[in-house]
Amino acid sequence: MKFAAIGLDHRHIYHMVGGLLEAGAHCAGFDPATSDERVLAGFRERFPDLTESTADRLLDDPSIELILCAAIPAERAAIAIRAMRAGKDVMVDKPGVTDFVQLATVEKAVAETGRIFSICFSERFVVPATIVAGKLIADGAIGSVIQTVGLGPHRFNRAIRPGWFFDKRHYGGILTDIASHQIDQFLHFTGSRDAQIVASGVGHFGDPDFPDFEDFGEILLRSDKAGGYIRVDWFTADGLPTWGDGRLTILGTEGTIELRKYVDVSGRPGTDHVFLVDKAGTRHIDASREPLTYFRNLVADIGARGETAMSQAHAFTVCRLALEAQEKAAWLPAKPAL
């Protein structure tokens, strides 16, 4: 399977390309156009043998079956639609869309072309611990899942952020952007097809130079199977040895699973720590060597027109819920009553 990369504006393009290469796919080229030369430099350093081309040439190449896109978030939908109209499947970085109009036009393009629109939710698909957690749940290790608590802290890294990073018109808001990860995980681990946004909020508590930038967000959501709480922010302290202490706690009727995805604070070294508490006791599982499945499943889906990597309905539901949470979010801290 041959793929190409268009939209090198976010570093997530690195694991998107790397994951497909590891899955045995072949990269036919990439368009070097970017809003951030540092991302392009990092791409060239990681993939020195890949061929540079233009978006037009890559889209016109009939041998290319899949287009990868990590463009400026507000521009991803248009690139994806153009690719699908050219007869290609698409994998975009999250968020797949930044407003309801984009969502509707992407859904229309999928319906009319029959192409795959997949979103690489890296906090699940590029984290081996989530695969181990899924297996434990499938085996009944914690009974029925009744709640998830997803935390998505990030380091601000102001000095390396391009201008669009601070403009909501480009990134869509913190819940549209980051919290889409946690919504994806809530639906996946609770087995929910849909959910209701019970409450949501966003706010700015940090850098005074960007008073309109949303650096904190939270969501309370509920489905017919379970409830969930989500917190996302840009307040990872510089002392942490990685970009964020991403965690997921999954509550079941017979136990709990906690994922410490990127670091075990003042504990074990490495990543992908799974903590299981059940009727037999407590234990730690090193999930770091668990093979990833998303990329090879997507390659298989492109050939078989299947949905083993992610259903199309799931991708669109995550987008819609993130947009709904963003739209109804209260500003935090709440303004005092007059």
Side-chain angles (χ1 to χ4, degrees):
M1 194 275 291
K2 293 175 67 175
F3 70 93
I6 299 173
L8 273 62
D9 297 283
H10 195 293
R11 287 169 175 80
H12 285 171
I13 194 66
Y14 304 156
H15 62 241
M16 293 165 68
V17 170
L20 279 177
L21 291 174
E22 290 178 7
H26 172 70
C27 184
F30 69 96
D31 181 354
T34 183
S35 62
D36 190 340
E37 291 297 327
R38 289 163 294 198
V39 175
L40 178 59
F43 188 90
R44 287 171 169 158
E45 180 180 351
R46 288 166 174 79
F47 309 107
D49 298 327
L50 298 188
T51 303
E52 296 188 17
S53 186
T54 66
D56 288 342
R57 289 177 181 173
L58 295 171
L59 291 170
D60 289 340
D61 185 340
S63 70
I64 294 174
E65 300 176 70
L66 175 70
I67 295 295
L68 273 55
C69 179
I72 294 171
E75 298 176 2
R76 291 171 189 169
I79 295 171
I81 291 169
R82 186 182 173 196
M84 288 188 285
R85 298 290 182 195
K88 305 181 189 309
D89 296 315
V90 177
M91 180 211 292
V92 297
D93 184 21
K94 64 80 211 164
V97 299
T98 57
D99 61 46
F100 287 106
V101 173
Q102 291 179 14
L103 177 57
T105 54
V106 170
E107 288 178 319
K108 183 173 184 287
V110 168
E112 293 177 349
T113 65
R115 309 318 302 178
I116 295 170
F117 177 79
S118 189
I119 304 172
C120 184
F121 293 114
S122 56
E123 291 191 27
R124 177 159 68 95
F125 295 143
V126 191
V127 176
T130 64
I131 300 172
V132 170
K135 290 181 176 180
L136 289 170
I137 293 169
D139 289 341
I142 61 170
S144 298
V145 175
I146 57 176
Q147 194 213 31
T148 66
V149 176
L151 307 181
H154 287 62
R155 179 170 286 127
F156 189 44
N157 280 336
R158 173 180 173 176
I160 68 168
R161 301 298 182 183
W164 60 260
F165 174 84
F166 304 99
D167 190 335
K168 189 174 178 178
R169 294 172 300 175
H170 294 302
Y171 74 89
I174 193 170
L175 301 182
T176 297
D177 182 15
I178 301 178
S180 61
H181 282 303
Q182 283 70 35
I183 294 172
D184 161 70
Q185 291 167 74
F186 168 81
L187 294 175
H188 175 73
F189 286 113
T190 64
S192 301
R193 293 179 178 271
D194 205 344
Q196 172 191 2
I197 303 300
V198 178
S200 58
V202 298
H204 177 82
F205 297 87
D207 196 321
D209 291 343
F210 303 98
D212 297 323
F213 177 67
E214 297 174 358
D215 54 21
F216 178 89
E218 60 181 357
I219 303 172
L220 181 67
L221 70 168
R222 185 179 300 132
S223 75
D224 60 349
K225 296 179 181 293
Y229 174 75
I230 293 167
R231 190 205 79 210
V232 291
D233 65 77
W234 289 100
F235 289 109
T236 294
D238 288 342
L240 195 73
T242 188
W243 55 267
D245 183 13
R247 298 193 186 194
L248 176 67
T249 300
I250 306 169
L251 173 64
T253 54
E254 299 178 20
T256 60
I257 297 171
E258 182 184 356
L259 310 186
R260 299 183 187 180
K261 300 179 182 180
Y262 312 112
V263 62
D264 181 10
V265 179
S266 296
R268 300 167 179 83
T271 63
D272 292 284
H273 302 277
V274 176
F275 297 90
L276 172 65
V277 181
D278 60 14
K279 63 184 69 176
T282 65
R283 63 186 170 113
H284 167 264
I285 302 170
D286 178 0
S288 60
R289 296 187 180 182
E290 183 73 17
L292 301 176
T293 59
Y294 168 72
F295 297 100
R296 66 170 181 261
N297 285 346
L298 182 60
V299 171
D301 288 343
I302 289 171
R305 311 315 296 166
E307 292 190 329
T308 60
M310 177 194 343
S311 76
Q312 191 63 77
H314 175 88
F316 287 148
T317 299
V318 174
C319 290
R320 175 176 54 79
L321 290 173
L323 293 173
E324 289 177 359
Q326 187 71 52
E327 183 179 57
K328 70 187 302 183
W331 184 257
L332 305 170
K335 296 180 180 179
L338 297 177

